[in-house]
């Protein structure tokens, strides 16, 4: 199944480079054997829209709502969801706009697909699609291989040069807005690794990128279990997939206020420190004597965490 659905929200601010960029991505996927269909959403269209370089798409359709849509969130989910259900798509591609970030995760969840946002490169090879996107607040570029998995991809990269393809004119179909197109079904707690909950813990042992790998993460868990502490993590460790996001400490994670906070292989970025301001004592283990974490630590140990924790385990 090598079919892609491109979704384009046409507004008064649409620029020609946006059509060119979508067409370029479609042409790129075409070289890898994908057929791409285009869905244009245009709340203000008259009877037709002109799609620049639209000849690159296998088919194109354009939809407008039958009444004003306000912020349009429910309407877009409804329209894109309908198109996605009617076709046999393995990829759904749009720009990383605020409105697309609204329907993107919902459509991905409904189709058991990956949701990849802020993508800067979509590389189509013979057998696979690779996506490059920034993580850790832009400090690192991560490249993911889809390996045939379904995905909703939101592109936020540079404008791309248009492929050699003709403009097309697409007739606009008016689609009625159904009230309550999106409704709340259920909520589910995010998975956790178990153990002592972070919230309210009197002792927390947190690991960071310095832990080195998912296999080595058990060193953090074993040490935390030994001293009866909750396991925490920096966002970098969470983004590496070593630990569930429910364990993230910091600005965009949980705020903790334990008696003792042990930071292992954590540099002490301001976003992490935002979560540990309430800790009574901070113990930091880091091999870099200049690491920022030592500026706020009550006890600092410079060295390799594996050796230090192994020595500590022997004494406990
Ligand atoms: C909007 C925004 C929100 C954010 N929210 C959060 C948040 O909630 N929580 C959070 O943590 N981050 C958050 N971040 C990310 C934050 O800025 C840092 O990128 C992140 O905290 C770095 O994680 P780290 O310390 O594990 O990794 P790094 O900064 O890479 O540090 C790894 C450390 O490990 C040390 N090390 C390496 N090997 C060893 C070893 N063998 N033994 C001992 N030490 C070793 C290194 O010297 C280094 O100091 C946020 C960023 C943004 C932009």
């Amino acid at each position: 199944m090598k079919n892609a659905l491109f979704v384009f929200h046409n507004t008064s601010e649409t620029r020609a480079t946006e059509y060119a960029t979508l067409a370029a991505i479609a042409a790129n996927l075409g070289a890898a054997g994908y057929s791409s269909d285009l869905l244009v959403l245009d709340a203000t269209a008259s009877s037709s829209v002109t799609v620049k370089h639209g000849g690159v798409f296998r088919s194109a359709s354009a939809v407008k709502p039958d009444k004003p849509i306000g912020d349009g969130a429910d309407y877009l989910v409804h329209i894109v969801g309908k198109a996605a259900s009617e076709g046999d798509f393995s990829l759904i591609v749009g720009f990383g706009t605020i409105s697309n970030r609204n329907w993107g995760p919902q459509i991905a969840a409904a189709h058991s697909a990956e949701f990849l946002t802020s993508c800067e490169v979509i590389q189509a090879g013979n057998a696979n699609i690779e996506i490059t996107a920034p993580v850790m607040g832009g400090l690192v570029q991560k490249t993911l291989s889809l390996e045939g998995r379904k995905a909703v991809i939101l592109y936020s990269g540079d404008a791309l040069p248009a492929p050699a393809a003709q403009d097309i004119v697409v007739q606009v179909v008016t689609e009625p807005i159904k009230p309550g197109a999106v409704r709340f079904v259920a909520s589910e707690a995010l998975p956790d690794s178990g153990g002592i909950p972070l919230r309210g813990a009197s002792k927390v042992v947190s690991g960071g990128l310095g832990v080195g790998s998912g296999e080595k993460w058990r060193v953090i868990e074993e040490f935390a279990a030994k001293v009866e502490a909750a396991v925490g993590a920096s966002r970098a460790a969470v983004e590496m997939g070593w630990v569930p996001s429910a364990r993230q400490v910091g600005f965009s994670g949980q705020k903790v206020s334990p008696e003792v906070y042990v930071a292992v292989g954590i540099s002490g970025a301001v976003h992490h420190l935002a979560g540990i301001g309430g800790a009574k004592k901070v113990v930091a283990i880091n091999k870099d004597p200049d690491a920022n974490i030592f500026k706020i630590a009550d006890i600092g140990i410079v060295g390799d965490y594996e050796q230090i924790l192994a020595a500590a385990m022997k004494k406990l």
Side-chain angles (χ1 to χ4, degrees), residues 103-115:
W103 61 255
Q106 298 188 55
I107 300 293
H111 291 263
S112 301
E114 305 293 335
F115 175 61

Side-chain angles (χ1 to χ4, degrees), residues 208-230:
L209 206 57
V211 171
S213 70
E215 290 75 50
K216 289 184 179 175
W217 189 260
R218 63 172 175 73
V219 175
I220 300 297
E221 289 180 338
E222 284 168 10
F223 182 72
K226 189 83 175 178
V227 297
E228 296 179 335

Side-chain angles (χ1 to χ4, degrees), residues 135-140 207-212 216 233-239 242 248-255 261 263-275 285-293 301-308:
V135 289
M136 289 184 230
L139 290 176
V140 171
L209 206 57
V211 171
K216 289 184 179 175
S234 72
R235 181 159 123 178
V238 169
E239 286 184 340
W242 300 340
Q248 183 178 319
V249 173
F251 176 71
S252 50
Q254 296 204 48
K255 314 275 180 292
Y261 185 83
V264 183
I266 291 177
S267 60
V270 63
H271 300 105
H272 188 80
L273 301 185
I285 302 172
N286 198 301
K287 70 177 184 185
D288 175 5
D290 296 320
N292 200 45
I293 191 81
I301 306 170
V302 179
D304 176 62
Y305 81 92
E306 284 187 85
Q307 292 176 10
I308 292 161

Side-chain angles (χ1 to χ4, degrees), residues 29-241:
L29 294 180
Y34 278 80
S35 301
S36 295
D37 298 327
L38 175 69
L39 170 66
V40 178
L41 308 161
D42 192 334
T44 57
S46 50
S47 58
S48 65
V49 290
T50 300
V51 176
K52 308 279 288 171
H53 324 290
V56 79
F57 294 101
R58 174 177 61 183
S59 75
S61 55
V63 173
K64 76 184 274 191
D66 65 347
K67 41 182 155 332
I69 56 172
D71 71 0
D74 282 9
Y75 171 74
L76 294 175
V77 173
H78 170 64
I79 294 297
V80 179
K82 193 168 167 234
S85 301
E86 285 169 357
D88 192 15
F89 299 108
S90 52
L91 299 177
I92 299 177
V93 184
F95 284 117
T97 58
I98 289 179
S99 58
N100 288 357
R101 281 167 203 257
N102 201 320
W103 61 255
Q106 298 188 55
I107 300 293
H111 291 263
S112 301
E114 305 293 335
F115 175 61
L116 303 168
T117 188
S118 306
C119 301
E120 294 185 348
V121 180
I122 302 174
Q123 195 92 36
N126 277 341
N128 204 4
I129 305 280
E130 284 189 351
I131 307 291
T132 301
V135 289
M136 289 184 230
L139 290 176
V140 171
Q141 289 279 2
K142 189 171 183 176
T143 299
L144 303 158
S145 176
L146 285 185
E147 306 290 346
R149 287 182 63 80
K150 279 186 175 187
V152 174
I153 300 169
L154 298 186
Y155 180 79
S156 302
D158 293 336
L160 300 174
Q166 289 190 330
D167 299 351
I168 57 170
V169 175
V170 183
Q171 296 306 308
V172 175
V173 174
T174 300
E175 182 78 27
I177 296 178
K178 291 193 181 129
V182 177
R183 65 193 170 84
F184 177 80
V185 178
S187 68
E188 191 183 331
L190 288 169
D192 197 347
S193 52
I196 299 169
L198 259 185
R199 197 174 296 280
S202 62
K203 288 174 263 179
V204 175
V205 174
S206 278
L209 206 57
V211 171
S213 70
E215 290 75 50
K216 289 184 179 175
W217 189 260
R218 63 172 175 73
V219 175
I220 300 297
E221 289 180 338
E222 284 168 10
F223 182 72
K226 189 83 175 178
V227 297
E228 296 179 335
V231 171
S234 72
R235 181 159 123 178
V238 169
E239 286 184 340
M240 293 305 287

